[in-house]
Amino acid sequence: KMTNCVKVLYIINFCSLMAGMYSVTIKQNRMDYYQCRSITVKFDDHIWENALVVDSTGKEEEIDLIYSYFNGAYVLSETTYGGRPMYIEQNKFDDSPYEEKVGAVIKYCEAENAWIFMHDNIRKDRNTKDSSCPWLLRSPVTESYDVMEVDSTWSIWTGIINTGATFQTTCNGCNSEADCNYHGTCADGECICALDEEDGYRLYYGMHCEFPRPCPQLIGDAGDIWNLELVDSRTTWRAYGRGVYSYISGGNVSVGPDDAIGLMYSGSRWFGTVHPGWKDKSRSFWLQYSSQYHAFWDQMYEGERTLYVSAPTSRADFIAVDFFTVGREGGKYGPLGELLPAQVPVGSGYFECAFNWTQSQSAPVADTLR
């Protein structure tokens, strides 16, 4: 009788184990196993000079890559890779999928036994030795099925392998209003940011309502005026969670009559960049551009077109953020060239907010998205 009881217990335990394994396998295949269907990724400000870019036709081009250009939201793909989930980069306006551009990928690479960050059009060299996993960042060796559980110190390619790069991930879901920074409500695992009851604009933006609505108008130390761009009467144009500004007048800015100058965030820095011949572009053009904008693929930092560069910042506002004009170029000055302080003294910040939103009801706010 004792032997029969032992057999029964053994069978019960075996069935329970198999049922558990089956349940996990089914959940993995259906993506139910992974809590975070959307994550926000933040890279350090590492720069790879002359990164090799290969387009779909095989044409090669060398472009300086600032890894923070790829900061932002990544969403769980419907397909798996190596039995693990894969995350796809989303656009920088409203965190929806790119339509024209190809997003970067975070996935597991069995050949490396590690999670990797990669893009199909960016390669470390011209051969095909790493064609199965052309990683740009690589995690420590791991068998984890969840990238959120992986050590945040990764290797990074900057022309050579460097160690100690920080790979920060945040789950974009919410369980309570605390996950929305008490700036909105949590509904069905998603933060709904609060609206201003009087003007209808959102008071905060971002996956966790972490970004306050941007200043309507900026004034630089040199007297230059920049207005916040609007997509429509109740929506501000945003890039990487921050407002987008257009140059209006004043300061030491020289621009052609048909050119537009935009002040846009790029993942870690603000760039003031000239867009030749874009001043009279249609509203539909600007709306499409905003949804497809990417600081790397649109080459927001490009020699003669870039007038201003900020110091690295993670702030949503301009408080104490220094800006620089771009001087001479060359190896002596590094990949961003000679950066000349635009403010005196250094460390005091260049821009200040001209007025708040209450005052802006009777003041002009840009709407050049015709």
Side-chain angles (χ1 to χ4, degrees), residues 169-237:
T169 56
T170 304
C171 183
N172 290 331
C174 66
N175 295 310
S176 68
E177 290 187 4
D179 294 326
C180 306
N181 291 292
Y182 297 107
H183 295 153
T185 58
C186 180
D188 298 325
E190 180 180 352
C191 287
I192 308 299
C193 301
L195 296 173
D196 189 301
E197 294 181 358
E198 294 185 3
D199 61 29
Y201 284 95
R202 291 210 177 274
L203 294 170
Y204 294 90
Y205 295 93
M207 289 292 190
H208 298 276
C209 305
E210 67 271 33
F211 301 121
R213 61 182 179 181
C215 172
Q217 187 178 83
L218 302 173
I219 297 181
D221 284 356
D224 42 320
I225 298 174
W226 303 72
N227 279 1
L228 179 67
E229 288 288 357
L230 303 179
V231 173
D232 57 41
S233 61
R234 287 293 177 266
T235 307
T236 60
W237 183 7

Side-chain angles (χ1 to χ4, degrees), residues 120-166:
D120 285 337
N121 298 116
I122 305 176
R123 297 300 178 105
K124 294 195 288 293
D125 59 26
R126 289 177 170 83
N127 63 42
T128 58
K129 292 180 180 179
D130 67 344
S131 58
S132 62
C133 292
W135 62 269
L136 304 175
L137 280 92
R138 179 183 61 187
S139 78
V141 172
T142 180
E143 294 182 355
S144 176
Y145 278 77
D146 191 344
V147 70
M148 300 290 291
E149 299 175 351
V150 178
D151 189 296
S152 62
T153 303
W154 291 32
S155 299
I156 187 170
W157 183 264
T158 58
I160 59 173
I161 298 176
N162 284 286
T163 58
T166 301

Side-chain angles (χ1 to χ4, degrees), residues 216-228 245-253 261 263 308 350-352 354-355 364-366:
Q217 187 178 83
L218 302 173
I219 297 181
D221 284 356
D224 42 320
I225 298 174
W226 303 72
N227 279 1
L228 179 67
Y245 294 85
S246 62
Y247 171 73
I248 302 302
S249 63
N252 302 316
V253 179
I261 307 179
L263 185 63
Y308 291 103
Y350 181 73
F351 286 110
E352 64 177 330
F355 47 78
V365 176

Side-chain angles (χ1 to χ4, degrees), residues 25-34 37 76:
T25 300
I26 293 298
K27 286 183 177 181
Q28 286 177 345
N29 290 337
R30 290 181 358 198
M31 295 293 141
D32 295 338
Y33 180 79
Y34 309 100
R37 305 190 69 83
L76 194 67

